Amino acid sequence: MKGADEVLLVVDVQNDFMPGGALAVAHGDEVVLVVNRLARAFSHVVLTQDWHPASHVSFAANHAGRTPFETMALPYGEQVLWPVHCVQNTPGAALHRDLDVPHARLVIRKGHHVDVDSYSAFLEADRTTPTGLAGYLRDTGVKRVYCCGLATDYCVAWSALDARAAGFDVAVIEDASRAIDLNGSLDAAWRDLRNAGVTRMQAAALLA
Ligand code: VGL
Ligand code: ZN
């Protein structure tokens, strides 16, 4: 059992990221059982939930003439425009029904500011607005963060990079995550993670 100084961060295991969902991640449903198994090895688990207002700036539908998966310049930088997904209190925003982590202590909801996206569980896409997660983890004695969930190349990678920048030891559990892989984003994410000193590992190393 992992101790008090280690946390499992389970990112966005939500219906809209599952096959058939609004922003489907290929094989996204395959993470659910391995996440359940991993979670049993951790006393401390935190979940995240992408949680957008319907008028969110990241939705292509909210910009005339724009289509999903284009990028657009916003005041805080380049933003990928997504299909409408994870709208607050909709079934698509709910956690997958088979996700079984009764001892999860905290659910961080992100992307709730209408004008700013937040892939990261730590810092919004303006790169300045904190979610409070770094302070929470420090206050609860966490030193090492194990990241998994959806999607590897967006919310998992950005969360892992920000966890590292906040001073935590960080690993990404590859086979407990699945990627969107838009224009080489998965390769780029692994390169950025390696350069930042994030460990790439497989679930078996934690389940032995
Ligand atoms: C995500 C794109 C938009 C993710 C969330 O969970 O990786 N990706 N919103
Ligand atoms: Zn989103």
Side-chain angles (χ1 to χ4, degrees):
M1 175 68 99
K2 292 292 186 180
D5 60 345
E6 299 186 284
V7 70
L8 182 68
L9 182 65
V10 179
V11 175
D12 297 1
V13 181
Q14 292 168 266
N15 292 328
D16 272 343
F17 297 122
M18 299 298 158
L23 177 39
V25 178
H27 305 285
D29 52 334
E30 293 173 7
V31 307
V32 175
L33 293 183
V34 62
V35 166
N36 290 347
R37 230 175 290 135
L38 281 167
R40 281 179 219 121
F42 283 80
S43 59
H44 194 171
V45 182
V46 170
L47 311 177
T48 73
Q49 228 175 348
D50 213 37
W51 198 252
H52 301 305
S55 54
H56 196 249
V57 71
S58 77
F59 297 164
N62 292 328
H63 303 275
R66 299 292 186 140
T67 54
F69 308 107
E70 284 179 25
T71 58
M72 179 175 181
L74 291 181
Y76 57 79
E78 283 286 304
Q79 170 72 49
V80 179
L81 297 178
W82 302 106
V84 174
H85 67 278
C86 296
V87 174
Q88 295 167 358
N89 267 348
T90 61
L95 298 168
H96 190 291
R97 60 181 294 167
D98 296 329
L99 188 67
D100 183 20
V101 191
H103 59 300
R105 293 188 199 174
L106 174 71
V107 181
I108 285 276
R109 287 171 165 173
K110 59 184 180 57
H112 50 80
H113 289 126
V114 76
D115 290 330
V116 187
D117 205 359
S118 191
Y119 298 146
S120 166
F122 292 87
L123 270 189
E124 300 193 28
D126 60 8
R127 312 313 293 143
T128 55
T129 308
T131 64
L133 181 57
Y136 164 84
L137 293 177
R138 272 187 216 115
D139 282 354
T140 53
V142 169
K143 302 273 184 260
R144 177 180 290 257
V145 181
Y146 293 86
C147 304
C148 62
L150 304 172
T152 316
D153 43 345
Y154 286 94
C155 291
V156 176
W158 285 53
S159 296
L161 291 168
D162 283 350
R164 192 80 191 100
F168 299 100
D169 285 336
V170 184
V172 169
I173 309 168
E174 183 172 15
D175 57 348
S177 308
R178 293 292 184 278
I180 295 174
D181 201 11
L182 193 62
N183 304 318
S185 56
L186 182 58
D187 284 346
W190 284 122
R191 188 190 59 232
D192 292 346
L193 290 164
R194 177 167 17 86
N195 290 340
V198 173
T199 303
R200 179 177 185 167
M201 63 183 301
Q202 309 301 318
L206 293 163
L207 297 173

